[in-house]
Amino acid sequence: MIASEFVLGLVLRLFLQAHVSAGGFGLFSSDKVGYVGFRFASYIDDYMVLQREPAGAVIWGYGAPRATVTVTLCRDQEPIMKKVTSVKDSNTWTVVLDPMKPGGPYEVMAQQTLGRINFTQRVHDVLFGDVWLCSGQSNMKMTVSQVFNATAELSDTAAYQSVRILSVSSTQAQQELEDLAKVDLRWSKPTSKNLGHGNFTYMSAVCWLFGRFLYDALRYPVGLLSSSWNGTPIEAWSSRRSLEACGVPRSGSMPSDLQFGPSAHSVLWNAMIHPLRNMTLKGVIWYQGESNVNFNRDLYNCTFPLLIDDWRQTFHDGSQGQTERFFPFGFVQLSSYLFDEALDDGLPQIRWHQTADFGYVPNQRMPNTFMAASVDLCDRNSPFGSIHPRDKQTVAYRLHLGARALAYGEKLIFQGPLPQKIELLADKGLLNLTYSQPIKVQRRDDKIFEVSCCSDHQCKWLPAPMDTFSTQSLALNITSCQDTPAALRYAWTPWPCEYKQCALYHPTSTLPAPPFLALITSPSPGYHSRTAK
C-alpha cells in the first residue's frame, strides 16, 4: 500500500512537471506556481480587482486532468465562499464566484486534489469593483510621465490605492493564445514609478486617468488593464472572422509614417486580447485609428463596429455569460495632427468612420458606445510629435462622462452638440441649423462650416460663414454658393482649431461639437450622408 502511494505520488509529480500551459506565463512566477502543472491564469494575481455584482467573477487556471480543484474566497482568514470543479482534459479549470459587493481585501485560495496529493495556490489583497480594459495604439500607450503636469500627476496616488493597474506586454502570435505570454506590470497599486515607467511603456495615462475619474465618482475599487501597442492598425487587433466579414484584403501597402507596429491580421488579438476573454469585465475603452488614416481607411466604418461586436461576444462567451453581451465600449475620436497635405482628407474620414458614419454614438450600428471627441485638444509643441497630444486629462475626463452616462445610468451630457435639423432658406441665402441641445459659439469662424455646391454633377466645397445664432440654433451664410447646395460639413480638416478654441461647444459641459457631414435634404447627420461626397 505504501509502495503504491509512493509510485502514485512520483508519477503525479513527474506529470505535473511535464505540463506546460499554452501561455507559459506562470512558469516564470515561482511564488505563484508550485508545481508547474497547477496554477492560476497569468492575470490572476495579488492586488487584482475582480468584477463586482451583479456579475460573478471568473477564476480559472491550469491543472492535472480529472483532478478536483476547490476555490475558496476568504476574508480575514475566514472562508466566505467555496466553489468546487474538475480539471478538464484541456488541463484547465474554471469557477464562477457568486456576485460580490464592492470592497475587500480578500484572499483567493485554489487547491488541487488528485488522490492524496494536494497543491495550493493563493493570491492576496484582492478587491471587488469594476474592471475596465484599455486598448489601442500609442495615444493609449503614453504614460503619465508624458502628459501635461506629469510631476503633479505622478505624485497623486495616495488617495487611489484601490485603483489597481496591470499592463500587458507587447507580444504577437499567429494563433489565438489561451493565456498571456507575459505582462510588463503585474497587478499593482499605483505608484509614481509604475505610472511613469518610461515613454510608451507602462502605465497608460488615459487608462489611469479614466480610472481615477471613475473612482472619484464611484468611491469603490476600479481595476484597469492596459493592452496596447504603438503604431498598430485595427487589423492587428481584430479576429480573423471579423476581418473576413468586412472583406479586408490580406495584404496591402503599409505607410511608414503612421504605422510601425505589427500590422498582420489578428496578431495582437491573438496574443493580447483573446487570452483575457475569460475575465469578467465592466467595459472597454479604446484609442486607435491613426494607423488606418492611409490603410484600409474606407473599411474602418465596418472594421471598427465589428471589432466592438466581436470583442463583446468573445468576452461574454469566455466569461460564461458574466460579462454583459453589450458591455459599454468607449473610444476617443481622433485629435488633430500635422502631416503631408496628401492625407488632408484621411483624418476627417477616419473620425467619421469611427462613428460608423453617423457622426455620433450610440447609434444602431454601435449600440451602448460612448465617444470622447478630442478634435480641440491639438498639441503643436508635443515633444512626441503632434500626433501625440499631451492633454490626456481632458481625454480621460470626457471618456469618464460617457461611462457614467452609459455604464452607470447617470443623466448627464457626455457629447457635444450636433444639429438635429438643417433647413435651406434659399430666399435668404441661409442654412438654418437647429441643435438638439444648447450651443455656445465660442468664436466666430468663417471656414469651419463648408457647403457642397453642385452643378452638372460637379461639386466643390465652399466656406459657409457663421451669420446669426441663438441658444440652440445657428444660421450660415451660403450666398457664395451660386449652384445647388447639396451637403454641409463641420470641422472637416485635420486641424479645425487651436487648443480648446473650436467654434462650438456645449455651454456648460465644455464638450466640443464633433465633426459631421450631412446632406442638406436630410434632417440630421446620418449614415447616408456619405453620398454627399
Side-chain angles (χ1 to χ4, degrees):
M1 183 69 174
I2 295 175
S4 63
E5 289 185 359
F6 173 79
V7 172
L8 174 64
L10 179 61
V11 170
L12 179 61
R13 289 169 191 264
L14 291 173
F15 172 81
L16 291 173
Q17 288 171 348
H19 262 74
V20 178
S21 69
F25 172 85
L27 299 179
F28 304 103
S29 302
S30 59
D31 57 330
K32 295 296 171 209
V33 176
Y35 289 93
V36 292
F38 180 59
R39 66 172 178 90
F40 288 111
S42 60
Y43 57 78
I44 297 175
D45 210 340
D46 299 338
Y47 307 113
M48 78 177 302
V49 176
L50 294 173
Q51 182 58 42
R52 66 171 179 94
E53 62 180 7
V58 175
I59 304 293
W60 72 283
Y62 295 90
R66 294 178 294 283
T68 298
V69 175
T70 302
V71 176
T72 306
L73 184 69
C74 300
R75 180 79 184 263
D76 298 325
Q77 299 184 333
E78 292 293 325
I80 62 172
M81 185 192 307
K82 186 172 292 188
K83 299 289 180 178
V84 180
T85 190
S86 298
V87 180
K88 295 180 288 188
D89 290 341
S90 60
N91 305 328
T92 62
W93 53 267
T94 305
V95 300
V96 179
L97 301 181
D98 297 335
M100 294 288 296
K101 294 184 181 300
Y106 296 89
E107 180 183 71
V108 178
M109 178 177 69
Q111 183 177 63
Q112 175 179 273
T113 304
L114 187 60
R116 296 190 178 184
I117 307 298
N118 296 325
F119 299 127
T120 302
Q121 299 293 319
R122 291 180 173 87
V123 293
H124 70 272
D125 199 349
V126 174
L127 304 178
F128 285 86
D130 282 340
V131 181
W132 287 82
L133 171 62
C134 313
S135 187
Q137 55 182 114
S138 54
N139 270 303
M140 182 64 84
K141 190 80 169 174
M142 286 177 71
T143 66
V144 181
S145 63
Q146 295 176 267
V147 305
F148 286 142
N149 303 315
T151 301
E153 296 289 4
L154 289 171
S155 66
D156 187 19
T157 60
Y160 298 100
Q161 295 300 290
S162 291
V163 181
R164 306 291 175 80
I165 55 178
L166 177 148
S167 187
V168 176
S169 295
S170 297
T171 53
Q172 53 182 312
Q174 295 302 314
Q175 301 297 326
E176 293 178 344
L177 299 186
E178 188 173 50
D179 199 5
L180 295 172
K182 58 181 178 177
V183 298
D184 284 337
L185 177 68
R186 292 165 59 170
W187 279 109
S188 304
K189 296 179 180 180
T191 66
S192 59
K193 183 177 180 179
N194 59 33
L195 291 176
H197 186 72
N199 293 347
F200 303 105
T201 52
Y202 57 83
M203 172 64 177
S204 163
V206 169
C207 191
W208 161 250
L209 295 166
F210 169 79
R212 197 180 70 183
F213 281 125
L214 273 187
Y215 180 80
D216 287 340
L218 302 172
R219 308 309 299 178
Y220 60 71
V222 175
L224 303 170
L225 295 94
S226 175
S227 185
S228 304
W229 195 323
N230 301 12
T232 49
I234 197 169
E235 289 78 5
W237 296 101
S238 304
S239 70
R240 288 189 173 91
R241 59 184 167 270
S242 65
L243 295 175
E244 289 171 359
C246 288
V248 180
R250 288 200 167 272
S251 62
S253 59
M254 301 289 177
S256 60
D257 54 343
L258 299 177
Q259 193 178 99
F260 46 85
S263 59
H265 286 193
S266 308
V267 292
L268 304 185
W269 157 263
N270 292 338
M272 299 176 67
I273 300 298
H274 186 268
L276 303 171
R277 71 200 181 284
N278 296 345
M279 179 180 293
T280 309
L281 294 179
K282 178 66 174 180
V284 168
I285 59 171
W286 170 260
Y287 197 160
Q288 189 276 337
E290 298 92 341
S291 288
N292 287 97
V293 166
N294 200 32
F295 179 67
N296 291 333
R297 179 178 67 231
D298 293 338
L299 292 174
Y300 203 88
N301 58 4
C302 179
T303 52
F304 185 39
L306 258 65
L307 174 143
I308 295 172
D309 190 63
D310 189 60
W311 284 28
R312 284 171 167 167
Q313 186 70 63
T314 299
F315 278 91
H316 177 74
D317 294 344
S319 65
Q320 301 184 29
Q322 298 304 308
T323 297
E324 291 183 8
R325 172 62 181 89
F326 294 97
F327 61 73
F329 194 108
F331 65 95
V332 182
Q333 190 180 43
L334 298 186
S335 185
S336 304
Y337 56 95
L338 303 170
F339 52 78
D340 189 278
E341 290 182 3
L343 298 177
D344 270 1
D345 198 47
L347 184 55
Q349 288 283 356
I350 281 289
R351 292 189 189 118
W352 188 241
H353 292 335
Q354 285 182 290
T355 67
D357 297 354
F358 281 80
Y360 60 88
V361 293
N363 57 56
Q364 55 259 49
R365 291 192 63 206
M366 300 173 68
N368 209 33
T369 58
F370 55 95
M371 176 178 80
S374 66
V375 70
D376 65 332
L377 300 181
C378 51
D379 189 353
R380 289 183 182 274
N381 301 315
S382 172
F384 315 106
S386 64
I387 196 171
H388 298 121
R390 289 167 289 175
D391 184 359
K392 295 300 190 275
Q393 293 89 337
T394 302
V395 169
Y397 177 77
R398 292 173 180 174
L399 276 172
H400 111 283
L401 290 178
R404 287 170 61 185
L406 269 73
Y408 301 100
E410 293 190 48
K411 295 189 180 301
L412 47 77
I413 301 296
F414 66 95
Q415 186 167 261
L418 274 167
Q420 186 177 39
K421 185 178 182 182
I422 301 174
E423 297 175 287
L424 174 60
L425 306 177
D427 57 329
K428 298 180 180 179
L430 296 175
L431 269 181
N432 195 63
L433 282 57
T434 303
Y435 285 80
S436 58
Q437 54 181 299
I439 61 172
K440 174 187 177 183
V441 177
Q442 178 158 288
R443 66 181 184 88
R444 298 179 74 97
D445 189 318
D446 292 341
K447 295 181 180 180
I448 201 164
F449 284 99
E450 296 173 292
V451 62
S452 178
C453 294
C454 299
S455 176
D456 297 327
H457 306 291
Q458 296 294 319
C459 299
K460 57 182 177 180
W461 291 100
L462 298 174
M466 300 167 66
D467 192 284
T468 60
F469 56 88
S470 64
T471 57
Q472 213 156 328
S473 66
L474 177 67
L476 303 175
N477 186 324
I478 59 167
T479 54
S480 62
C481 180
Q482 301 298 316
D483 301 311
T484 304
L488 180 70
R489 64 188 189 184
Y490 171 79
W492 205 265
T493 67
W495 198 282
C497 62
E498 293 305 315
Y499 179 72
K500 291 189 175 181
Q501 291 297 314
C502 273
L504 292 178
Y505 287 81
H506 185 276
T508 58
S509 66
T510 67
L511 295 173
F516 74 81
L517 172 67
L519 295 174
I520 290 176
T521 55
S522 176
S524 63
Y527 183 70
H528 294 294
S529 62
R530 284 191 306 154
T531 59
K533 298 290 291 175

